[in-house]
Amino acid sequence: MQIGWHQPLDVSGLTWTEPQELGGRQLASVDHINTTKALLDIVRGRPFDVMVSKPNVDCSVDAASGEMHITQVLQGTAQPAQALPTETHSHSSKGRAHSTRQLLVESSPLQFTAEGLLLNAHIYVSDGVLQVPDELRQVIGKDFHASAIVGVDNLKADGADYGIEAEWAQTEHQPKGTAHSGHPLEPTAVAFNSQHVQAQLSGWRTKTGMLLREPATAALDYTPALAKYGLQRISPLMSNVVAVQEGGKVEMRWTPEGMALPAERSTLQIEPMKLVVGRGDFVSKIVNLLGLNDSSLSKSSLQAWTSTIAVDVYPDGPIQTQRLDILLGTGCGHTGVHLCMWGSMDPTQDSALDMTLGFPADTLTWAGLKGVPQDGMLTVAVRGTAEKPKIDWQGAYNTLTSSALTWQTEAPTADGALSLKQTIANKALKGLGTLHKKVTGSSSQVGQAGDATSAKVPQPVAPLPWQTKAA
């Protein structure tokens, strides 16, 4: 170790380990740090470089709370290690092994490099490794590079070289801070680029974090991991996405509450997507419930179109989908089946679902119901987990048939034909046995998912893209 006022800093072999009563796990280490200037020159404000070699940080997540274990240690809330069954995470199928670290979700190494201009310092980070949850590593890819620029002069001089838009730092007025965000300091921009993700955010540095000037943006490549660990958790309607069309990118905007980081709540907005969705069990039962025989719905994979998706995210709680609208079976002259879904998924409770599936008026009309009010909606509760959603198909079927008797329609025609109300009721009652068998199978297979027929229906995230195109 070399530290002195008149010589550059040179430090090797730094490590940080949690207390032994928590298990003695190594949380962070750095192989080598050195500067190009002496400490006295740095204090005097002269430009200098900092080289950080082989940092390794444990970003493992506590399975119970969803918090990073390293954060819990810093805050003094980490719990002593416990021996928990490894039935979920163990690679062995023989019995129930025990481990003192089963509190943590299985992690994988994510390699990274970084570069930053922080006022007078130019920082280079090489050969870094983060231990992150395996599912996050699959979404991001095998490695990433992060860039950060702090200060008006740095942004003006070097923003273009980093691929960071910087003109705003000279033209936009610095906002007033709040009690939550703190006073804004220097203009700051951050860029993140990995194998599958490209993201940027910009705003003003604060003593506690950052005050954004606009929502952060990100573009993610479609991958099976994104479908499984991202889209599926937003809604079971996207549990079998096999492709994203028109570029293969998922575009999103991230808005923290009050535009301040860190935030207790943030909203993730995903731009409309055109998808290819596999016709799995969930979608098949929906089609059977409605009794639809359209050729566009009989294929093993369906064309689909989503609305803008707004999702509220809490650091230590459920993911709340405000409302997702989707058209299934579009293309080749077909308008598609309009469905919607809203509710929550709790990652700290084995991805437990508390959601509602909605059948809007246009879909119910296509299914044969007449006289449905324009704002009519058949709602069905969805429980279970993101991986295995459960619907009360029996309740959905009963509601659908009773709706044929409830919604008012035209009077009998002049020639004495039955009213539409009578016709639909008779048709529903006549098809009772066949439809029930198609949807639920045997009575023992009916999912007990609760009742959502009186659920409050949220407004769609307007405008719906297919309505805009039609207009």
Side-chain angles (χ1 to χ4, degrees):
M1 180 179 294
Q2 177 179 301
I3 301 177
W5 285 108
H6 301 285
Q7 56 188 356
L9 175 70
D10 196 311
V11 180
S12 299
L14 295 177
T15 60
W16 175 34
T17 303
E18 68 181 4
Q20 286 299 319
E21 56 266 28
L22 296 178
R25 185 186 185 93
Q26 181 174 293
L27 301 177
S29 66
V30 178
D31 186 69
H32 192 204
I33 301 176
N34 68 286
T35 65
T36 57
K37 297 290 185 180
L39 290 181
L40 187 59
D41 292 327
I42 293 173
V43 172
R44 288 172 175 171
R46 295 176 180 174
F48 66 100
D49 294 346
V50 180
M51 280 68 71
V52 181
S53 177
K54 296 184 179 180
N56 193 315
V57 182
D58 188 345
C59 298
S60 299
V61 172
D62 177 64
S65 67
E67 292 183 313
M68 283 200 302
H69 180 66
I70 193 171
T71 302
Q72 294 177 324
V73 174
L74 286 169
Q75 295 175 343
T77 59
Q79 297 297 316
Q82 300 178 35
L84 296 179
T86 61
E87 186 176 58
T88 301
H89 302 292
S90 175
H91 294 290
S92 173
S93 60
K94 296 181 180 180
R96 288 191 173 196
H98 286 75
S99 166
T100 59
R101 300 311 301 174
Q102 283 303 305
L103 281 171
L104 304 181
V105 175
E106 185 175 354
S107 297
S108 296
L110 175 61
Q111 300 175 358
F112 75 97
T113 57
E115 185 175 359
L117 289 169
L118 280 68
L119 303 179
N120 295 322
H122 195 162
I123 302 174
Y124 302 89
V125 180
S126 61
D127 300 320
V129 175
L130 301 178
Q131 299 293 334
V132 300
D134 184 62
E135 59 191 53
L136 178 61
R137 192 262 188 207
Q138 291 183 49
V139 171
I140 292 175
K142 63 181 181 179
D143 53 32
F144 72 88
H145 178 78
S147 304
I149 303 179
V150 178
V152 175
D153 292 340
N154 287 334
L155 281 165
K156 181 180 178 180
D158 298 291
D161 292 338
Y162 284 74
I164 293 176
E165 194 274 317
E167 184 178 349
W168 64 271
Q170 304 173 65
T171 59
E172 293 186 14
H173 294 292
Q174 182 172 291
K176 293 182 179 180
T178 65
H180 172 67
S181 69
H183 180 70
L185 302 172
E186 298 86 9
T188 300
V190 178
F192 178 98
N193 293 281
S194 76
Q195 184 181 4
H196 300 308
V197 181
Q198 298 80 45
Q200 284 198 13
L201 58 86
S202 58
W204 290 265
R205 182 181 70 86
T206 67
K207 290 183 177 180
T208 58
M210 195 168 175
L211 186 62
L212 301 187
R213 52 182 283 269
E214 63 183 6
T217 60
L220 287 74
D221 295 331
Y222 168 79
T223 62
L226 178 63
K228 179 178 180 180
Y229 301 121
L231 301 180
Q232 177 177 269
R233 294 183 177 182
I234 292 173
S235 169
L237 289 172
M238 297 192 294
S239 60
N240 290 297
V241 174
V242 296
V244 175
Q245 298 179 318
E246 298 183 356
K249 296 279 189 181
V250 177
E251 306 280 348
M252 59 181 62
R253 296 164 63 86
W254 178 52
T255 308
E257 188 173 30
M259 299 299 284
L261 296 174
E264 291 299 318
R265 179 181 69 87
S266 56
T267 299
L268 189 66
Q269 192 171 72
I270 303 174
E271 297 301 312
M273 298 178 289
K274 289 188 175 181
L275 309 171
V276 178
V277 180
R279 180 175 163 158
D281 184 63
F282 189 76
V283 172
S284 293
K285 285 189 175 181
I286 290 174
V287 173
N288 288 338
L289 171 69
L290 297 171
L292 300 174
N293 296 314
D294 194 281
S295 60
S296 66
L297 300 172
S298 62
K299 301 175 182 178
S300 59
S301 61
L302 309 176
Q303 303 291 317
W305 198 355
T306 75
S307 65
T308 298
I309 307 167
V311 182
D312 293 329
V313 181
Y314 300 84
D316 308 318
I319 297 171
Q320 185 78 32
T321 300
Q322 294 179 17
R323 172 166 161 170
L324 159 69
D325 285 72
I326 189 170
L327 281 183
L328 289 174
T330 60
C332 299
H334 300 279
T335 57
V337 178
H338 182 192
L339 303 169
C340 58
M341 182 170 276
W342 61 91
S344 66
M345 186 283 297
D346 193 342
T348 67
Q349 300 295 324
D350 296 324
S351 301
L353 297 178
D354 183 7
M355 305 192 80
T356 300
L357 173 65
F359 300 86
D362 49 358
T363 292
L364 297 175
T365 300
W366 188 15
L369 291 174
K370 303 298 181 182
V372 181
Q374 188 174 1
D375 61 349
M377 180 81 72
L378 170 66
T379 58
V380 185
V382 182
R383 299 294 185 264
T385 67
E387 292 76 19
K388 295 182 179 180
K390 294 181 180 180
I391 288 184
D392 180 7
W393 296 108
Q394 175 69 69
Y397 169 74
N398 291 340
T399 302
L400 182 61
T401 53
S402 66
S403 294
L405 299 170
T406 301
W407 282 315
Q408 300 297 319
T409 60
E410 298 91 341
T413 59
D415 61 4
L418 289 175
S419 69
L420 291 175
K421 177 179 177 181
Q422 292 170 308
T423 302
I424 296 302
N426 290 342
K427 180 179 178 180
L429 293 173
K430 183 177 180 181
L432 182 75
T434 302
L435 184 57
H436 179 273
K437 184 176 181 180
K438 288 173 66 179
V439 172
T440 65
S442 65
S443 59
S444 63
Q445 296 174 347
V446 178
Q448 300 300 316
D451 180 19
T453 56
S454 60
K456 183 178 179 180
V457 178
Q459 293 298 312
V461 183
L464 296 178
W466 47 88
Q467 292 179 350
T468 301
K469 184 176 181 179

